[in-house]
C-alpha cells in the first residue's frame, strides 16, 4: 500500500555530514508520521528521529540530539534526515518508516511501513 525508498547514504569521515532522503509512494494519508531508525551489525533496531505530518513536531533520540535534524516536504511526500558532526558510532543501515497513527513514538512496532535501508559508514 505504501512504499518507502531511502537514499543518500555513503562513506564520510568523522565530523562530516550527510543528508538522507526518503521518498514515499502509494497511498499516503495526512495523519501519517514519519520516522528514521538505524541498525548496526549485531544490534537491534534503534530509534533516531520522527516527525508528524502537519504541525511537524519532532522527537529525537539522545544519541543524535543537537546533531541530526529531521524534516519533511509534504508536497513531494519526502522525508529527510540531515546528519551533522557524524561519529563512527553512527555507522549503521538507516531506515525510514511510516506510522499510520500519526504519533512520533520511538518503538519500531508503532510503525507500519518500512524502507529497505541505506548504508551510512563513518570513518574515524
Amino acid at each position: 500500500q505504501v512504499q518507502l525508498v531511502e537514499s543518500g547514504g555513503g562513506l564520510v569521515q568523522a565530523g562530516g555530514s550527510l543528508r538522507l532522503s526518503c521518498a514515499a509512494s502509494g497511498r499516503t494519508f495526512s495523519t501519517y508520521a514519519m520516522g528514521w531508525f538505524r541498525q548496526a551489525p549485531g544490534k537491534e533496531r534503534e530509534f533516531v528521529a520522527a516527525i508528524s505530518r502537519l504541525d511537524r513536531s519532532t522527537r529525537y533520540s539522545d544519541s543524535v540530539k543537537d546533531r541530526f535534524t529531521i524534516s519533511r516536504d509534504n508536497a513531494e511526500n519526502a522525508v529527510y534526515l540531515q546528519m551533522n558532526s557524524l561519529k563512527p558510532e553512527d555507522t549503521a543501515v538507516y531506515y525510514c518508516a511510516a506510522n499510520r497513527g500519526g504519533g512520533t513514538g520511538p518503538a519500531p512496532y508503532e510503525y507500519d511501513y518500512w524502507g529497505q535501508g541505506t548504508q551510512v559508514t563513518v570513518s574515524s
Side-chain angles (χ1 to χ4, degrees):
Q1 187 173 12
V2 175
Q3 293 80 46
L4 305 174
V5 180
E6 305 94 337
S7 62
L11 175 65
V12 65
Q13 290 186 306
S17 299
L18 283 174
R19 180 177 171 86
L20 304 184
S21 299
C22 176
S25 62
R27 294 291 185 181
T28 301
F29 300 97
S30 63
T31 57
Y32 282 25
M34 298 295 297
W36 286 95
F37 293 77
R38 65 187 183 186
Q39 188 165 23
K43 296 185 177 180
E44 65 182 8
R45 193 160 297 187
E46 174 191 20
F47 173 78
V48 176
I51 185 169
S52 62
R53 187 178 189 277
L54 295 181
D55 65 5
R56 305 192 185 197
S57 61
T58 58
R59 179 196 293 263
Y60 296 92
S61 69
D62 289 340
S63 62
V64 307
K65 183 180 179 181
D66 300 323
R67 297 190 298 120
F68 292 8
T69 302
I70 187 171
S71 62
R72 66 191 301 165
D73 184 338
N74 292 335
E76 297 185 1
N77 293 318
V79 181
Y80 307 96
L81 185 68
Q82 179 66 45
M83 306 185 294
N84 298 325
S85 301
L86 283 162
K87 305 174 181 179
E89 50 263 45
D90 294 318
T91 295
V93 176
Y94 283 70
Y95 300 88
C96 65
N99 181 351
R100 293 181 297 183
T104 57
Y109 66 77
E110 298 181 46
Y111 294 78
D112 305 284
Y113 305 100
W114 295 83
Q116 293 186 333
T118 185
Q119 177 70 47
V120 172
T121 302
V122 184
S123 62
S124 60

